[in-house]
């Protein structure tokens, strides 16, 4: 992502920051400059809300806390996610298991390894408070409500300020690009199913409000319902491409499926972290399709996936 949009909310106890951004000096300077332009200093920040535990969002939280004494709040599930990163060698082992689960050929695995030191660094943050689904009173004097929207991460949060008519969507709902929704574990929940459910729940939650959407990337927009419908169609399209690929090759590993479906770049150009994310998205789609009875796996190591008839008896 070229940039992250950070939001500063005025409150009776000092400004509350949503998603402070990447853990780099360049980001820090930009953040301090932005807060200054709004008439405050980093040292004034009263609280830091985290939409989700990805380093482009939570990365500077500890540094802001250190400078200002602010509290840091995030959802419990994302605090757990950070704890799993903290032991870099554990993150490295899980990634190795994931690559084998996807059937990545041995000679291709080196290019897809994670950096344990980076994982350990981004996992350092521990929050001061957990923000639960439905939480209120996070920004003194403001009618801000939190909504738990798992999918992009297990503890992703959106926030609505009904009085101001704005909805902060983090990476859950973006105007043009689709959020990364991936599965990196052998077991675990159907994260794509959870994501799609969270999108529908968001539409219900905002109801008649038609808020202005303030996402963490790209630009502000209106039309939650229209955008959610478009994302639903996008994921149906991806599901159809995966089923078509399975029918074409008569079954295959996540690696073989991912290499043969369209991506924003060609598969040869989809390298390193991007390729790892592509595999995780493919696996998330397979899990969602399996939950609907449209694909099945033979359980062998690595699992071979195949399409099932779309109208099972
Ligand atoms: Zn992001």
């Amino acid at each position: 992502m070229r940039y992250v949009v950070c939001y500063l909310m005025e409150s009776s106890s000092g400004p509350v920051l949503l998603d402070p951004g990447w853990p780099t000096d360049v980001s820090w300077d930009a953040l301090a400059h932005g807060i200054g332009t709004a008439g405050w200093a980093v040292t004034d920040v009263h609280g830091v809300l985290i939409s989700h535990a990805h380093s482009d969002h939570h990365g500077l939280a500890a540094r802001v806390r250190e400078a200002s004494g602010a509290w840091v709040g995030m959802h419990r599930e994302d605090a757990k996610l950070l704890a799993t990163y903290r032991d870099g060698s554990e993150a490295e082992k899980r990634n190795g298991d994931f690559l084998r689960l996807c059937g990545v050929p041995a000679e291709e695995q080196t290019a897809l390894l994670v950096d344990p030191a980076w994982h350990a660094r981004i996992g350092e943050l521990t929050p001061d408070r957990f923000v639960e689904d439905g939480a209120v009173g996070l920004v003194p004097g403001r009618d801000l409500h939190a909504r738990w929207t798992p999918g992009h991460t297990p503890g992703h949060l959106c926030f609505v300020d009904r009085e101001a008519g704005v909805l902060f969507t983090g990476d859950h709902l973006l105007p043009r690009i689709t959020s990364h929704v991936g599965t990196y574990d052998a077991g675990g929940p159907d994260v794509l199913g959870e994501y799609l459910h969270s999108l529908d729940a968001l539409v219900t939650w905002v109801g008649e409000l038609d808020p202005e959407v303030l996402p963490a990337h790209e630009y502000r927009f209106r039309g939650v319902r229209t955008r959610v419908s478009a994302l639903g169609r996008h994921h149906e399209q991806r599901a159809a491409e995966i089923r078509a690929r399975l029918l074409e090759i008569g079954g295959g590993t996540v690696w073989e499926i991912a290499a043969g479906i369209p991506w924003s770049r060609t598969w040869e150009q989809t390298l390193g972290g991007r390729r790892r994310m592509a595999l995780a998205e493919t696996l998330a789609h397979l899990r969602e399709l399996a939950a609907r009875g449209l694909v099945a796996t033979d359980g062998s190591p690595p699992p071979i996936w195949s399409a099932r008839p779309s109208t099972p008896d």
Side-chain angles (χ1 to χ4, degrees):
M1 302 306 306
R2 286 174 58 221
Y3 54 87
V4 181
V5 190
C6 311
Y7 295 96
L8 194 68
M9 289 172 262
E10 221 168 359
S11 91
S12 48
S13 309
V16 172
L17 184 61
L18 171 61
D19 286 353
W22 270 107
T24 65
D25 289 337
V26 173
S27 280
W28 175 259
D29 291 345
L31 179 69
H33 178 76
I35 293 174
T37 305
W40 302 90
V42 175
T43 48
D44 296 325
V45 175
H46 170 66
V48 180
L49 287 170
I50 309 290
S51 70
H52 65 290
H54 278 164
S55 47
D56 53 332
H57 300 262
H58 79 268
L60 282 173
R63 197 164 165 185
V64 173
R65 176 167 61 190
E66 210 172 288
S68 66
W71 50 261
V72 174
M74 63 166 63
H75 193 273
R76 190 182 300 273
E77 288 298 324
D78 270 19
K80 275 195 223 162
L81 183 69
L82 286 179
T84 67
Y85 291 158
R86 221 161 285 151
D87 180 350
S89 58
E90 185 54 35
E92 200 177 14
K93 182 190 168 298
R94 268 202 322 278
N95 186 58
D97 292 346
F98 166 69
L99 298 181
R100 282 185 289 280
L101 175 72
C102 292
V104 179
E107 66 277 12
E108 301 278 357
Q109 289 188 11
T110 315
L112 299 180
L113 296 179
V114 295
D115 174 5
W118 168 252
H119 268 76
R121 191 178 156 215
I122 61 174
E124 269 168 18
L125 180 69
T126 46
D128 303 294
R129 52 175 79 171
F130 294 128
V131 179
E132 307 292 345
D133 186 39
V136 290
L138 299 160
V139 184
R142 267 190 190 278
D143 185 28
L144 194 81
H145 296 241
R147 177 86 202 197
W148 180 37
T149 50
H152 179 62
T153 64
H156 191 288
L157 291 165
C158 291
F159 300 90
V160 76
D161 183 334
R162 288 182 186 274
E163 226 167 74
V166 294
L167 173 69
F168 299 96
T169 54
D171 281 3
H172 184 55
L173 190 68
L174 301 164
R176 192 183 55 90
I177 53 173
T178 56
S179 309
H180 167 64
V181 179
T183 300
Y184 294 85
D185 294 305
D190 164 16
V191 295
L192 181 60
E194 282 185 356
Y195 174 69
L196 295 170
H197 177 76
S198 295
L199 283 177
D200 288 342
L202 195 67
V203 171
T204 310
W205 189 50
V206 297
E208 299 303 307
L209 184 65
D210 187 26
E212 181 166 35
V213 181
L214 304 179
H217 300 287
E218 302 192 301
Y219 44 84
R220 52 176 63 195
F221 67 102
R222 279 193 190 272
V224 172
R225 195 178 294 270
T226 309
R227 185 64 188 135
V228 166
S229 305
L231 288 171
R233 286 195 301 277
H234 165 80
H235 286 291
E236 270 308 317
Q237 165 73 21
R238 296 299 275 161
E241 288 163 3
I242 287 172
R243 275 178 51 81
R245 171 73 177 158
L246 283 175
L247 292 169
E248 174 199 332
I249 61 178
T253 61
V254 173
W255 172 263
E256 289 161 344
I257 299 160
I261 57 174
W263 297 97
S264 51
R265 294 168 172 77
T266 66
W267 185 244
E268 288 68 35
Q269 292 167 328
T270 305
L271 297 169
R274 284 181 196 283
R275 188 171 277 199
R276 214 166 39 231
M277 286 160 80
L279 292 167
E281 288 183 10
T282 306
L283 180 55
H285 269 97
L286 288 164
R287 287 261 169 78
E288 198 267 342
L289 283 165
R292 288 196 274 156
L294 295 173
V295 302
T297 167
D298 67 351
S300 66
I304 304 294
W305 294 84
S306 54
R308 300 181 70 192
S310 51
T311 47
D313 321 319

